[in-house]
Amino acid sequence: MKAARALRRLALAIVVLAAVAGIGIATAFQWYREPIAALAEPATVEIAPGEGLAAVAEKLAAAGVIDRPRLWTLFGRYEGKATRLRAGEYALQPGLSPAGVLDLLVSGRVVLHSITIVEGWTFAQGLAAVRAAPTVRRTLDDATPEQIMARLGARGVHPEGQLFPDTYLVARGTSDVDVLRLAHERLQKELAAAWAGRLDGLPLDEPYEALILASI
């Protein structure tokens, strides 16, 4: 009889514990899926290369975005996203849930910053604009124009006219040489297209001559 009562009490305790756990789990999932109340204004967070999920959770907590960093970390590990964070700068918009924040950080949809090279600028002016961009990582401060062209894969090519005028969107931390490479490769692509569609009979022997003519 005593053994039966003990079993009934144990069974009841298990049921109660299960019910409490169920309420806790339901609350946790609700927190994870509901919009973050503290995220009333747009915010940004930057993830460094190799930064772990727990460190990111603490960073978000310090910024007042996530109020349960350990729980957020547990969800990330449960969903298999702990090792899928992608480095970069992210814009957190009002209405995001903790789950939405995590999805954003594994998506790679980083903030892009604009850098404009104006038509008619010299190579030096274009280089100065790239260097002045606060989100660009500078690696060419001591490089000559000739060395820069070599870095762009155009050794021996005169730098003037080798950057296509346009607005380029790049992520924070993009190097200056990579921005210049974008502009140079765009120039090559546009020049090749123009050369392929040139009129017959023009006194031009190569695309670079057409570039010089266009810049006059």
Side-chain angles (χ1 to χ4, degrees):
M1 184 68 69
K2 291 182 179 180
R5 286 199 298 269
L7 286 174
R8 285 197 296 270
R9 289 177 181 175
L10 178 59
L12 179 60
I14 292 174
V15 170
V16 171
L17 288 174
V20 171
I23 294 172
I25 292 173
T27 301
F29 272 98
Q30 182 179 10
W31 170 85
Y32 189 56
R33 298 295 178 185
E34 285 187 343
I36 301 170
L39 193 58
E41 299 290 338
T44 60
V45 61
E46 189 171 356
I47 309 303
E51 194 165 20
L53 183 65
V56 173
E58 291 302 326
K59 181 179 291 186
L60 291 170
V65 176
I66 297 295
D67 60 352
R68 299 181 182 180
R70 291 184 180 179
L71 181 57
W72 188 78
T73 301
L74 286 174
F75 271 111
R77 291 172 178 165
Y78 172 75
E79 294 180 346
K81 297 175 180 177
T83 60
R84 292 167 52 192
L85 297 181
R86 299 176 67 176
E89 180 186 14
Y90 293 88
L92 308 180
Q93 299 296 335
L96 273 179
S97 64
V101 171
L102 184 58
D103 288 341
L104 178 64
L105 300 186
V106 302
S107 71
R109 297 193 300 271
V110 298
V111 176
L112 297 179
H113 301 270
S114 63
I115 300 174
T116 299
I117 297 176
V118 177
E119 186 173 0
W121 272 3
T122 64
F123 180 81
Q125 288 174 308
L127 177 60
V130 172
R131 284 174 170 169
T135 57
V136 168
R137 180 167 49 89
R138 295 173 62 158
T139 66
L140 298 172
D141 285 358
D142 299 324
T144 65
E146 292 74 19
Q147 291 171 331
I148 293 174
M149 292 307 299
R151 291 280 300 274
L152 299 181
R155 185 182 299 276
V157 175
H158 196 280
E160 294 304 331
Q162 293 298 319
L163 304 178
F164 190 82
D166 202 351
T167 296
Y168 298 89
L169 299 177
V170 297
R172 180 182 294 274
T174 301
S175 70
D176 46 12
V177 70
D178 283 337
V179 178
L180 294 173
R181 185 175 289 112
L182 283 174
H184 178 59
E185 290 179 351
R186 175 72 183 281
L187 182 282
Q188 290 180 308
K189 181 179 178 180
E190 296 292 337
L191 185 58
W195 181 254
R198 71 189 185 282
L199 296 175
D200 294 334
L202 291 177
L204 301 173
D205 296 325
E206 59 180 20
Y208 191 67
E209 292 181 357
L211 177 62
I212 296 175
L213 181 63
S215 64
I216 296 176

